[in-house]
Structure formats: C-alpha cells, structure tokens
C-alpha cells in the first residue's frame, strides 16, 4: 500500500482553509489506471474544491477496506474507489456507517456496482462530475459469511483459483455491493479466463456461461427473514412483493415461455417454489427456532436450482436486468433460485425470459423449462445438500454447504447522478 497520510497539523490546516479532503483508493493492477487517468482525477477533485487528494493503492492482501478506514481516520470527506467491483466493495466496507461519501470510478470488467448505481460507465469526465458534484444518497451493504467444510470434504473439493480465494473484507465477513451467487453463477466466474476478459471485457463471462451449462442442480433449504417486509406493509409504505408463490414485487407479469409482456404489472409473479422431481413445494412456514412475540418472521423453502442469487441490485452487463425489482437502496435483499430442465431447451427458455432489451419477465415455473423462483428478505441463510462454489461481486469463496447473507440497510452514502 502506498500513499502518505496527512499528519495532524496538515489535517488542521485543511479544516481551517475550509477545503474538504478527498481520498482516492486505487487498484493499480487495472490496465486503465494510467498516469494520465490519475492526473485527470487529481485535477477534477482539486477543481471541485477538494484538498489533496490523498492517494492510497490496494495490494493483493489489502484490497481497499483498510485504506478506506485510514482515509476516514484522516478526516476525508469523500473517498473515491477507482478499480473493479472488488475494489468498490472493499472500500464500501471501510466507509460503511461513517457518514463519509463514497464515489465509484469503475475500471473493471463487469462493473456491476456502477451499473446498479446508474453511473456513466466509460465516460471518465462524467464519472468525475458525479464524484465531485453528485448527490450522496443512502445505499445498502450486504455481508456474506460461509461455513468452512469439514477437513475430509474440503480435501475433495478445494481447488483454489489462480489468484487464490477472496479473503474476508472485515472480520470474518465479505462485503457485497451487488450480488452473491452460488452454483452456476460462481462456476461461471471461476472458469472465466483473465486474458479473455482483458480482450473482450464482459463478453468473456458470456463465453464462460456456455461452458457451464452442465452445472449440477443443487438441493437446498432457504430461510429468509421477512420482518422488514411485514413492517413496511404494516406502515402502509407499499406491498411486500411476496405472493403465495414467492414472487417479487415490481416484477413483470409472466406470459409463458413463448414471448414477452408488453406491460409491467405490480404484484407477485406466478413463480412457485419447486422441489425434487417438480412437485409444488408445501406452503412456506416459519422457522421452528424463531418463536415468541417480536421474533423475526422467517420463511423457509426447500428448492432445487442450478444457481442461487442473493442480490442488492439486478442489472448485469449487456443491458440485462435480471431482477427488475432489485434496488441497492430499498432495504431488502432480492433472492432468485434459477433452475433449468430438459437440457438446452431449458436454457433457451430462460434466455427468452431474461435477455435484453426488456427487463426480465419470468414464466410460471409449473409450465416453463427455465424456472425462476423469487423471494425477498433482509437476512438469508442457504443450506446446501452438497458443497458448491460461492462468488461475491465477482470474487470467489471456497466451496461450502452454508451461506449466510445479511443486509445492513442504509449503511452507505454513495455519490450518484
């Protein structure tokens, strides 16, 4: 990690001058992180009235959270994360619950955080305009933890990727700005070639997806805390978005496998949780461990899926909006259990439901061969029957049978257009 922190006298001088201090946390491994780009960022921050900026570089062992914590301790009013999604989520962890504004300058491949915060990807001048003059708006931050496998199981499935497993961001948890994926989604990340990413950007993920169409189906038990949805309903602030089939509010009305709807409708989608050989699962039940007045209202489902997504945002590269109702500032996690049957027919069915230019519109899984079950909650626990890979904002975690995702609503202030 490089950079010089201002001493106490320098910080006092900054306060007396009335100029705000900006800090830039840079991932120097990114090809676009050139001297010219860094010089431009410095000029724009100074022109906007910021002192400094203070520059801190990430390293493989210190990916941004520590640098952000140091910047906050030094009196920074603005911390700018310059790099990919891994840098953005690490820096977000460092500024979480501090009240210091976070700005994101995306230099990665997928740039999921920037997409879901409506940032002008690829236009550095406009990005810096948002960073310096954008509105600092409340946003949520998710935290992901996994349970290590027993030694015997670990020896059979643990094969670290070339760059190694992602290390916890703070404590034992991994910060997550956009999505945690289990199964097919994580396998896709694992098989995407870095050299190809450098050549064709996010298209490398599309090619990797084709090679992972045979990813195994997972049997899992999913438990969600729906207390926040109940509270919002009781407060009269809108629908929970959860219907009898576990559909997601703000999702499009399904029209079947053959085509797309022309209109969006609010309310539950027709998707129903499914289990085993395709029979409808029993009605959702409260967890038996959660008892007593005021206890969290938990919903439990037994599902079969090729991938499970726990998301804080629904936008992907290529104009795909996988989860139309997911927002990074709505105080709730959006969960999608995605399954396919009948080989390529099922994947074709799924593609028709999700591909651009329309936001995804899911068919009733009782009839579709590409099946998506949607749920919402503020705390999600997934227990798998067999170990599976996990990815968090594009970074890999070791295979596990237990994944816990909790949401810290309103933990961030992110500069947005």
């Amino acid at each position: 990690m490089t950079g010089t922190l201002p001493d106490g006298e320098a910080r006092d001088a900054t306060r007396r001058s009335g100029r705000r201090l900006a800090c830039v946390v840079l991932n120097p491994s990114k090809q676009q992180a050139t001297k010219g780009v860094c010089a431009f960022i410095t000029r724009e921050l100074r022109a906007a009235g910021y002192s400094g900026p203070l520059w801190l570089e990430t390293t493989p062992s210190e990916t941004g959270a520590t640098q952000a914590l140091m910047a906050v301790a030094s009196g920074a009013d603005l911390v700018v994360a310059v790099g990919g999604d891994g840098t953005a989520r690490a820096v977000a962890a460092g500024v979480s619950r501090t009240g210091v504004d976070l700005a994101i300058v995306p230099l990665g491949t997928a740039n999921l955080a920037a997409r879901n915060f409506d940032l002008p990807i690829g236009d550095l001048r406009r990005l810096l305009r948002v960073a310096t003059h954008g509105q600092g708006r409340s946003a949520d931050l998710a935290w992901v933890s996994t349970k290590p496998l027993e030694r015997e199981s670990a020896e059979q499935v643990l094969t670290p990727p070339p760059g190694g497993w992602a290390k916890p961001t703070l404590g034992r948890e991994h910060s997550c700005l956009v999505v945690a994926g289990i199964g097919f989604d994580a396998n896709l990340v694992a098989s995407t070639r870095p050299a190809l990413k450098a050549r064709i950007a996010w298209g490398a993920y599309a090619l990797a997806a084709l090679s992972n169409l045979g990813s195994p189906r997972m049997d899992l038990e999913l438990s969600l805390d729906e207390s926040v949805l109940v509270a919002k309903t009781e407060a009269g602030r809108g629908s929970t978005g959860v219907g009898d089939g576990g559909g997601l509010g703000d999702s499009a009305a399904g029209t079947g496998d053959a085509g797309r709807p022309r209109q969006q409708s609010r309310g539950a989608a027709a998707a129903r949780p499914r289990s085993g050989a395709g029979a409808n699962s029993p009605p959702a039940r409260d967890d038996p461990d959660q008892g007593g007045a005021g206890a969290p209202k938990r919903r439990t489902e037994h599902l079969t899926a090729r991938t499970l997504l726990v998301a804080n945002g629904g936008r992907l590269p290529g104009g795909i909006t996988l989860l139309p109702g997911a927002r990074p500032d709505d105080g709730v996690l959006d969960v999608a259990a995605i399954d396919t049957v009948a080989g390529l027919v099922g994947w074709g069915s799924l593609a028709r439901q999700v591909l651009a230019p329309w936001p995804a519109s899911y068919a009733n899984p009782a009839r579709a061969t590409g099946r998506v079950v949607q749920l919402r909650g503020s705390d999600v626990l997934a227990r798998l029957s067999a170990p599976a890979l996990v990815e968090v904002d594009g970074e890999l975690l070791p295979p596990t049978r237990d994944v816990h995702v909790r949401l810290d609503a309103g933990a961030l202030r992110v500069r947005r257009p």
Side-chain angles (χ1 to χ4, degrees):
M1 181 173 62
T2 63
T4 303
L5 294 174
D7 57 23
E9 183 176 345
R11 290 197 297 270
D12 291 341
T14 297
R15 295 189 184 98
R16 288 195 299 271
S17 70
R19 291 172 64 85
R20 299 162 294 169
L21 175 64
C23 173
V24 180
V25 180
L26 170 74
N27 183 344
S29 70
K30 296 300 179 183
Q31 291 183 340
Q32 298 179 60
T34 63
K35 291 183 178 179
V37 166
C38 294
F40 180 78
I41 293 174
T42 295
R43 289 196 301 270
E44 291 297 304
L45 288 170
R46 290 177 178 174
Y50 286 95
S51 63
L54 167 67
W55 285 83
L56 295 172
E57 293 185 356
T58 66
T59 68
S61 60
E62 296 289 351
T63 57
T66 300
Q67 291 86 338
L69 286 168
M70 294 172 67
V72 171
S74 300
D77 297 279
L78 173 67
V79 178
V80 185
V82 182
D85 284 316
T87 303
R89 73 179 183 89
V91 174
V95 302
S96 173
R97 292 293 169 189
T98 66
V100 174
D101 280 12
L102 167 67
I104 298 173
V105 176
L107 300 182
T109 303
N111 297 317
L112 296 180
R115 295 178 195 280
N116 283 276
F117 286 120
D118 299 312
L119 299 181
I121 298 171
D123 190 328
L124 187 59
R125 187 175 299 278
R126 289 178 61 202
L127 284 167
L128 266 295
R129 180 73 181 178
V130 173
T132 54
H133 298 287
Q135 184 179 18
R137 293 161 55 186
S138 175
D140 306 328
L141 183 64
W143 291 92
V144 181
S145 58
T146 63
K147 183 178 179 180
L149 294 174
E150 296 179 359
R151 182 175 178 179
E152 293 76 9
S153 299
E155 290 175 349
Q156 297 177 17
V157 299
L158 287 180
T159 304
W165 304 113
K167 298 178 181 178
T169 315
L170 290 175
R172 296 182 178 181
E173 294 181 298
H174 302 262
S175 57
C176 177
L177 274 172
V178 182
V179 64
I182 308 169
F184 169 83
D185 184 59
N187 295 338
L188 182 156
V189 171
S191 60
T192 300
R193 295 162 50 194
L196 201 57
K197 285 170 60 177
R199 289 174 51 197
I200 61 174
W202 64 266
Y205 289 109
L207 293 179
L210 294 176
S211 66
N212 282 280
L213 296 183
S215 291
R217 304 172 79 196
M218 305 179 296
D219 291 321
L220 59 96
E221 180 182 88
L222 190 66
S223 172
L224 304 94
D225 181 355
E226 295 183 332
S227 301
V228 64
L229 305 178
V230 174
K232 287 182 178 182
T233 301
E234 292 176 349
R237 293 197 294 269
S239 168
T240 66
V242 179
D244 61 354
L248 184 65
D250 292 327
S251 63
T255 59
D257 247 4
R260 292 184 172 274
R262 293 295 180 182
Q263 297 180 341
Q264 304 286 323
S265 65
R266 182 167 182 83
R272 289 185 178 275
R274 297 178 64 83
S275 176
N280 287 337
S281 68
R285 66 181 189 276
D286 291 343
D287 271 3
D289 315 300
Q290 308 294 333
K297 179 177 176 57
R298 297 197 72 92
R299 176 191 184 102
T300 301
E301 299 287 354
H302 293 274
L303 303 167
T304 298
R306 293 193 186 274
T307 192
L308 180 73
L309 304 178
V310 183
N312 196 30
R315 296 182 183 178
L316 303 180
I320 297 174
T321 302
L322 189 65
L323 297 169
R327 302 286 184 271
D329 55 4
D330 61 1
V332 68
L333 293 166
D334 290 75
V335 181
I338 302 175
D339 194 16
T340 63
V341 296
L344 291 178
V345 173
W347 287 107
S349 164
L350 183 64
R352 287 192 294 273
Q353 297 174 66
V354 305
L355 291 182
W358 296 278
S361 171
Y362 296 117
N364 187 336
R367 296 188 299 270
T369 52
R371 304 165 177 173
V372 181
V373 172
Q374 301 172 91
L375 298 162
R376 309 182 89 186
S378 59
D379 184 278
V380 179
L381 179 62
R383 294 189 175 98
L384 313 175
S385 61
L389 274 176
V390 180
E391 66 88 9
V392 177
D393 287 344
E395 298 191 312
L396 289 170
L397 278 57
T400 183
R401 286 190 176 92
D402 295 272
V403 182
H404 179 215
V405 187
R406 65 178 181 89
L407 188 68
D408 189 1
L412 301 172
R413 283 179 53 86
V414 179
R415 293 281 173 98
R416 302 173 68 175

